[in-house]
Amino acid sequence: MSEISAASVAKLREMTGAGLMDCKKALIEAKGDLSAAGDLLRKKGAATAVSKATREAKEGVIAQYIAPGGRLGVLVEINSETDFVARNEMFRAFAEEVARKLAADPSAKFDNEVQELVAKIRENIKVARHARMEVSGNGLVAAYIHTGAKVGVLVEVGAGRESTVTNDEFKQVVKDITLQIAAGHPYTVSREEVPAEVIAKEREIAAQSDRLKGKPPQAIEKIIQGMLDKFYQSHCLVDQGFVKKNSEISVKEHVGQVAKQLGDEITIRRFVRFQVGENPAA
């Protein structure tokens, strides 16, 4: 057959994102057939993805998608091996596309897309986890991605009336809550959501504190309760000091003030906070 032209190699590279030598070899093997050469490269990309899948992917980004109207949202973590790749525009565009597709289809799979991206970027990539929220009743779903895309938040906040949802003050408090979650790193919305075994462990730790030494029995329970309150103030979102007001009031108090102004009830229903590379069970 005739020599493979530089134009054909360039065209195949444009189509697949593969390296020049890989493209030339694929074209030679496929006898100049661009489509067949593309298939060969995809197969090679799949093999590359398999071989790289054993390598740890601890870097990456958090991406989000909020559907028009704010009633549906997705937060997703996409991992890579290095932070260099995590800053790559192609990688970030892929992360955003994954979030959009999961909003449309919560069971969407991305095996083929991941394999193609691995072939181009040459690193192990994985869709690590995602959260999808859809409003029940009146409310909004909002997201916040912290600078650097290493921390992301997704929250659902409810209201009693439909008209409240379109109010600017309500929208602002929802936005402020996302910022609070990113900065304060709470684990639950309220005390009621803290597992009994966690409270029991904290109580046990408090009961062994040096602060109890020499204290009269009637004071011990009060001191333990005070220590538990401190735990709740760090662990529970509504008990945290509201960061935007220098923790002078709690999140619960701030939300209550806005609700009173609007003459409605505002409820923080649920949230997730993703940080790149963390152990979700931690």
Side-chain angles (χ1 to χ4, degrees):
M1 64 166 289
S2 60
E3 184 74 16
I4 300 298
S5 70
S8 294
V9 174
K11 178 65 175 175
L12 185 59
R13 188 184 189 194
E14 181 184 344
M15 288 166 56
T16 64
L20 286 172
M21 288 306 299
D22 288 337
C23 289
K24 186 171 183 179
K25 288 176 183 176
L27 280 165
I28 291 171
E29 188 175 344
K31 298 181 171 55
D33 186 320
L34 277 170
S35 179
D39 289 341
L40 285 169
L41 285 172
R42 277 194 290 276
K43 290 174 184 176
K44 182 177 179 181
T48 302
V50 170
S51 69
K52 290 183 180 292
T54 58
R55 285 156 53 169
E56 278 197 308
K58 293 270 186 170
E59 294 293 340
V61 296
I62 310 296
Q64 59 87 13
Y65 175 76
I66 300 295
R71 294 186 60 83
L72 171 66
V74 169
L75 195 70
V76 63
E77 177 180 358
I78 311 293
N79 291 144
S80 61
E81 291 177 45
T82 65
D83 189 51
F84 177 78
V85 163
R87 297 195 301 270
N88 179 288
E89 288 186 12
M90 185 190 303
F91 180 82
R92 294 206 169 194
F94 169 71
E96 291 172 1
E97 182 63 19
V98 167
R100 279 193 293 272
K101 287 186 176 179
L102 286 169
D105 178 9
S107 61
K109 303 297 181 186
F110 303 94
D111 294 346
N112 292 337
E113 292 93 332
V114 166
Q115 288 173 0
E116 289 175 8
L117 192 58
V118 167
K120 294 175 183 177
I121 290 180
R122 309 285 182 180
E123 278 196 11
N124 183 19
I125 292 165
K126 64 179 181 180
V127 180
R129 53 179 169 159
H130 77 276
R132 185 179 186 275
M133 291 184 186
E134 193 164 358
V135 172
S136 175
N138 300 319
L140 284 177
V141 172
Y144 169 67
I145 304 296
H146 193 59
T147 305
K150 300 301 183 186
V151 173
V153 170
L154 187 69
V155 67
E156 179 189 356
V157 182
R161 296 194 307 265
E162 186 178 351
S163 59
T164 299
V165 176
T166 60
N167 187 285
D168 287 341
E169 287 187 60
F170 178 77
K171 292 179 181 178
Q172 184 62 51
V173 81
V174 174
K175 179 182 178 181
D176 289 343
I177 289 166
T178 66
L179 300 176
Q180 177 76 34
I181 296 165
H185 198 171
Y187 293 87
T188 66
V189 173
S190 65
R191 301 183 183 199
E192 290 73 25
E193 295 177 6
V194 181
E197 60 270 22
V198 173
I199 297 173
K201 183 179 178 182
E202 290 299 319
R203 178 174 282 276
E204 181 184 349
I205 293 170
Q208 295 172 4
S209 170
D210 289 343
R211 290 176 58 187
L212 301 184
K213 290 181 179 178
K215 298 294 191 233
Q218 62 270 27
I220 288 177
E221 180 56 33
K222 188 174 182 181
I223 295 171
I224 290 175
Q225 189 56 51
M227 295 172 74
L228 282 174
D229 286 340
K230 288 288 185 184
F231 165 75
Y232 290 134
Q233 286 165 17
S234 65
H235 196 89
C236 307
L237 173 59
V238 297
D239 286 309
Q240 287 187 340
F242 183 46
V243 172
K244 201 171 178 181
K245 291 194 175 178
N246 301 315
S247 298
E248 293 170 2
I249 60 173
S250 68
V251 172
K252 183 178 182 178
E253 288 170 330
H254 174 68
V255 171
Q257 288 175 359
V258 175
K260 186 176 181 180
Q261 291 170 8
L262 297 176
D264 197 4
E265 291 185 7
I266 297 175
T267 306
I268 303 171
R269 292 176 177 159
R270 51 180 169 159
F271 73 86
V272 292
R273 181 187 187 275
F274 287 174
Q275 187 161 336
V276 169
E278 71 183 350
N279 179 357

